[in-house]
Amino acid sequence: MTSVVSGDGDVAGAAAAVGERSDAVLAWTRELLEPALRATVATLPPRIRQVGAFHHGWVDERGEPVSGTPGKLVRPALVLGCAVAAGGDPAAAVAVPAAVAVELVHNASLIHDDIVDGDATRRGRPAVWSAFGTPKAILAGDALFILAVRAATRLPAPMVEPAVVRLTDTIQILIDGEQADLDFESRTTLTTAECLAMAAGKTGALLECACALGAQAAGADGAGVRAYGRFGAHLGLAFQLADDLLGLWGDPALTGKPTGSDVRARKKTLPVVAALNSGTPAAAELTVLYENTGAPLDTATSERVLDLVEQAGGRAWAQARAFRELQRALHYLHVARPLPGAEKDLTAIAELVVCRGH
């Protein structure tokens, strides 16, 4: 496992130490979740079903089965892990519908994000819009959002209403975060506080929902659900910071996406915004490059932007803030008083989120 969020080396060391445990947790999650996820997607009407199955890596563009996978399944791992941590069934079976719902919301948002961002690849394969066209991709994303709500209705009866309310509220927050991200593209100045608030909506909200739903499924009280939710919310910020770093310096062989696409499109990701606000000579040059609109940046200019972001301290700031958010997340996990073995599993997943190579 490689780490973009290396900082002073502590996080990279943590990644090496927890890799085996996090791999085991994710393998357990896949074994428990994937049959339910496949069965849920299979309930879609045939035209949309093929697109949904393609996005999850189960079929190719022609609908022929392939050996792909739907990603690492970090969010459902958090649902199931928090359910076990809060004293639920060790098999986390009661939380499976919630885990399916959260994963479907995540994938619906990815389909729409790729359209908005113009990203032609996802997990090393064509994005849905690239393979099937934008109209079908929009409809597929919409269908997965609806399917997520239906999945939540399979929870035990007392949980259905609060789970559906939490899930739909989260979807609204995700949409608002995406809208903020779009609005930021036309802004000439942004603060890191504004960008962190946007990240809390785009990424933090769904991880907060995942952890809270898992705790709810296990019957945790209000204080416990809130603590698990705060664990997820801070972990979501750490996740977004790590993701932004990977978007600038990640290995394409691991990310499944071209390096530097955010830079070429002059996207104001968190390391870039931190650099732009640094007041350094590098920030002044970076501002000029980012103010020029029109064609995407060429390779040489993109490389210069990366150098300037690093010189202005944007990379170091994002690494340090990611580690800080991780520590806040682990604080709230401790406050939730999880079962010891489950706490170690959730800690391993949390550290994987920050110290990841994809």
Side-chain angles (χ1 to χ4, degrees):
M1 186 189 309
T2 59
S3 176
V4 173
V5 188
S6 55
D8 60 4
D10 290 345
V11 179
V18 304
E20 184 176 342
R21 191 174 195 113
S22 62
D23 287 348
V25 174
L26 293 172
W28 167 73
T29 298
R30 188 177 305 282
E31 182 179 353
L32 194 61
L33 181 90
E34 190 160 355
L37 185 61
R38 284 178 178 265
T40 303
V41 173
T43 66
L44 289 169
R47 293 184 184 88
I48 296 295
R49 184 190 311 152
Q50 179 183 344
V51 181
F54 171 82
H55 172 74
H56 283 89
W58 301 326
V59 302
D60 62 18
E61 292 93 329
R62 299 180 302 279
E64 297 296 325
V66 294
S67 58
T69 62
K72 274 192 176 290
L73 305 179
V74 166
R75 290 158 188 81
L78 290 171
V79 177
L80 301 178
C82 287
V84 173
D89 178 355
V94 70
V96 168
V100 169
V102 166
E103 184 64 7
L104 287 170
V105 168
H106 172 55
N107 280 282
S109 71
L110 292 182
I111 291 173
H112 285 171
D113 281 352
D114 286 341
I115 297 168
V116 171
D117 296 339
D119 288 336
T121 58
R122 166 70 58 184
R123 298 169 182 152
R125 307 170 71 227
V128 170
W129 72 266
S130 181
F132 295 94
T134 298
K136 285 188 178 181
I138 293 171
L139 294 174
D142 292 346
L144 292 187
F145 277 131
I146 294 167
L147 199 59
V149 176
R150 184 189 298 170
T153 66
R154 298 193 182 101
L155 286 160
M159 275 199 64
V160 170
E161 183 177 355
V164 168
V165 169
R166 185 181 292 276
L167 195 69
T168 52
D169 284 350
T170 298
I171 293 170
Q172 290 284 18
I173 295 168
L174 290 174
I175 292 169
D176 186 61
E178 185 65 46
Q179 182 63 59
D181 196 18
L182 285 173
D183 291 345
F184 287 175
E185 291 181 8
S186 60
R187 294 265 302 272
T188 55
T189 59
L190 286 171
T191 66
T192 54
E194 288 176 308
C195 291
L196 285 167
M198 180 270 291
K202 277 192 67 177
T203 307
L206 188 55
L207 269 68
E208 179 175 4
C209 178
C211 295
L213 283 179
Q216 273 186 314
D221 61 17
V225 170
R226 285 190 294 275
Y228 281 109
R230 296 314 299 158
F231 162 64
H234 286 288
L235 187 57
L237 281 178
F239 190 109
Q240 187 60 58
L241 286 153
D243 203 56
D244 285 353
L245 286 162
L246 286 166
L248 298 177
W249 291 283
D251 182 351
L254 296 171
T255 63
K257 298 184 113 178
T259 299
S261 58
D262 287 350
V263 167
R264 285 190 290 276
R266 298 183 179 85
K267 288 202 71 173
K268 297 181 180 74
T269 58
L270 281 158
V272 172
V273 172
L276 288 168
N277 284 280
S278 66
T280 62
E285 184 179 345
L286 184 62
T287 299
V288 172
L289 292 176
Y290 258 64
E291 282 179 348
N292 292 333
T293 58
L297 298 175
D298 58 30
T299 300
T301 308
S302 296
E303 290 175 354
R304 178 58 181 163
V305 165
L306 290 176
D307 288 341
L308 292 169
V309 172
E310 186 145 17
Q311 289 175 31
R315 185 175 190 172
W317 175 86
Q319 289 170 333
R321 185 60 188 251
F323 186 70
R324 178 180 169 190
E325 294 298 334
L326 172 62
Q327 296 309 305
R328 286 177 171 175
L330 295 178
H331 164 74
Y332 281 105
L333 178 59
H334 181 72
V335 168
R337 302 178 67 182
L339 296 178
E343 181 174 13
K344 290 179 180 178
D345 288 343
L346 287 169
T347 299
I349 292 298
E351 292 179 344
L352 171 70
V353 162
V354 180
C355 312
R356 60 203 169 102
H358 81 292

